[in-house]
Amino acid sequence: MNPLGVKDTVTTKYMRQNEIFADAFNYFVYGGEQVINPESLEELDTREIDVPYGGEKGAKQPVQKTRDVIKSVIAMMDKRTAYLLLAIENQSNIHYAMPVKNMVYDALQYAKQVEEAAASHKLSGDYKGVDSDEYLSGFMKADHLLPVVTLVIYFASKEWDGPLSIHEMFAGQDARVLAFVPDYKINLIAPAAIEDSEFEKFQTTLKEVLSFIKYSGNADKLQEVIGIDEKFRHLGRNEVDVLNACVNANLTMKKGEEVLDVCQAIQTIADRAAEQKRMDTLLDNVKKLMERMGWSAEQSMDVLSIPESDRNSLAQRLK
């Protein structure tokens, strides 16, 4: 599987978990308030069918488009029951046409709801007595759509510099014209844009995953963040898979191990890196003496007082 495919697989598997999925929306939509209950989520078919309009030569074949994750939810808001459709699109790279991509997905979902309403009326036969407009529409006055909220989660450390709306994708257009062009904005969680204090609004390991990603390029800050957060001592396999695939964390879990102490793993990685740097320096010094003085590897290591414990390793690398 190619690297991009691995990233898509592990991030989708991670975000499909109800607790993680709910946490993302509770953070983004409700500022951390626990409105969406993970137990109220029900996973839906991620496939959407795009049926192109026909031309003189007839319609083309329908195209299947697949979302990453979409779930239905029943949420209580202001003592009222709200029925919503929530979707997540995982991005390990910046998609510079993301507003269009999401707009198509959402439009297909609304079209699907209209078609299902029409099919339901036809099956039940309750078109009798309605006016011609309702009959021809298939969608009655009393019918309603379920809102679709799509959230993009960017699993990379750099800032998102892609457009956040359809209007941002137009260039040099007359503002009077754009006033009549509906805008479409994307909802985005990008680690680089999250303030440190905002991470506290997450209630699951999404906090640790996103904060790790944010500081993955800053070793000192990353160690500081990991040292403060106790949950980094008990990170699960799904989280580790996401970090390894998306930011090359190089975290290693033993076979059969279900949790990892990231603090210890990071220290081990740092120790290995320091040891590798030490051995590289020794090797470089030995090579310089061999080239400049014409000495053997053994003579050069004697002059540098290199201990016996390092000599075999250096000898192997000099072959």
Side-chain angles (χ1 to χ4, degrees):
M1 186 179 291
N2 64 57
L4 185 58
V6 172
K7 292 177 182 179
D8 289 342
T9 298
V10 298
T11 54
T12 298
K13 180 180 179 182
Y14 178 62
M15 293 309 307
R16 182 170 283 145
Q17 300 173 91
N18 280 359
E19 293 79 8
I20 308 299
F21 188 98
D23 197 24
F25 280 96
N26 281 331
Y27 162 79
F28 191 84
V29 179
Y30 303 109
E33 184 182 349
Q34 299 304 289
V35 174
I36 298 173
N37 185 339
E39 295 179 358
S40 69
L41 293 167
E42 181 178 343
E43 190 152 350
L44 303 177
D45 190 346
T46 57
R47 295 169 296 178
E48 309 286 6
I49 304 299
D50 180 8
V51 182
Y53 287 102
E56 293 181 0
K57 296 182 180 180
K60 296 180 180 179
Q61 290 296 316
V63 177
Q64 179 174 294
K65 297 183 180 295
T66 305
R67 287 182 179 268
D68 287 337
V69 190
I70 183 169
K71 297 176 185 279
S72 62
V73 63
I74 302 174
M76 291 299 297
M77 294 182 294
D78 300 326
K79 297 181 180 180
R80 293 183 296 108
T81 302
Y83 297 89
L84 310 170
L85 296 180
L86 306 177
I88 283 180
E89 291 300 313
N90 303 308
Q91 290 296 132
S92 53
N93 297 92
I94 297 172
H95 194 312
Y96 290 98
M98 203 72 212
V100 174
K101 179 181 179 182
N102 280 8
M103 182 174 66
V104 169
Y105 279 143
D106 291 350
L108 288 174
Q109 175 53 231
Y110 288 128
K112 182 179 181 180
Q113 291 184 44
V114 171
E115 290 168 1
E116 288 178 345
S120 176
H121 291 310
K122 186 175 182 180
L123 183 65
S124 64
D126 59 3
Y127 278 131
K128 296 177 180 178
V130 302
D131 62 33
S132 59
D133 291 334
E134 285 183 289
Y135 180 80
L136 292 174
S137 298
F139 196 80
M140 297 189 183
K141 292 179 183 179
D143 289 334
H144 298 285
L145 294 173
L146 296 182
V148 181
V149 181
T150 299
L151 177 59
V152 178
I153 302 185
Y154 179 46
F155 288 91
S157 60
K158 69 177 184 178
E159 293 185 5
W160 179 280
D161 62 0
L164 297 175
S165 72
I166 290 290
H167 277 199
E168 288 182 32
M169 299 178 69
F170 298 131
Q173 294 294 330
D174 189 331
R176 292 170 296 180
V177 172
L178 288 183
F180 294 94
V181 178
D183 200 0
Y184 183 91
K185 299 179 180 180
I186 66 170
N187 305 306
L188 175 71
I189 292 180
I194 302 176
E195 298 292 336
D196 287 355
S197 59
E198 289 290 298
F199 282 110
E200 299 304 320
K201 294 180 180 180
F202 291 104
Q203 303 298 313
T204 68
T205 57
L206 197 55
K207 171 188 174 184
E208 284 69 43
V209 167
L210 295 179
S211 60
F212 189 109
I213 290 174
K214 177 176 181 176
Y215 295 114
S216 58
N218 184 336
D220 292 336
K221 182 63 176 180
L222 181 60
Q223 286 193 317
E224 177 187 330
V225 169
I226 289 174
I228 294 173
D229 189 344
E230 181 65 25
K231 289 184 179 179
F232 271 112
R233 297 189 179 277
H234 309 283
L235 222 54
R237 184 170 295 278
N238 286 338
E239 289 79 7
V240 170
D241 286 345
V242 169
L243 296 178
N244 284 341
C246 296
V247 293
N248 298 316
N250 295 318
L251 301 172
T252 303
M253 294 187 75
K254 297 178 182 179
K255 189 175 181 180
E257 194 174 36
E258 291 303 322
V259 295
L260 177 72
D261 184 338
V262 176
C263 304
Q264 185 177 5
I266 290 293
Q267 186 59 53
T268 299
I269 292 171
D271 291 344
R272 287 175 182 166
E275 176 62 14
Q276 183 65 43
K277 184 177 181 180
R278 185 183 73 84
M279 292 299 289
D280 288 345
T281 301
L282 287 178
L283 181 64
D284 186 53
N285 290 336
V286 169
K287 285 181 176 179
K288 286 178 179 177
L289 284 179
M290 292 174 67
E291 292 170 2
R292 294 175 183 176
M293 306 303 295
W295 293 341
S296 67
E298 192 68 27
Q299 289 173 318
S300 299
M301 286 190 273
D302 285 341
V303 170
L304 293 170
S305 300
I306 294 177
E308 289 294 332
S309 57
D310 293 332
R311 294 195 178 205
N312 285 338
S313 177
L314 290 172
Q316 289 295 321
R317 296 176 65 181
L318 285 165
K319 289 182 178 180

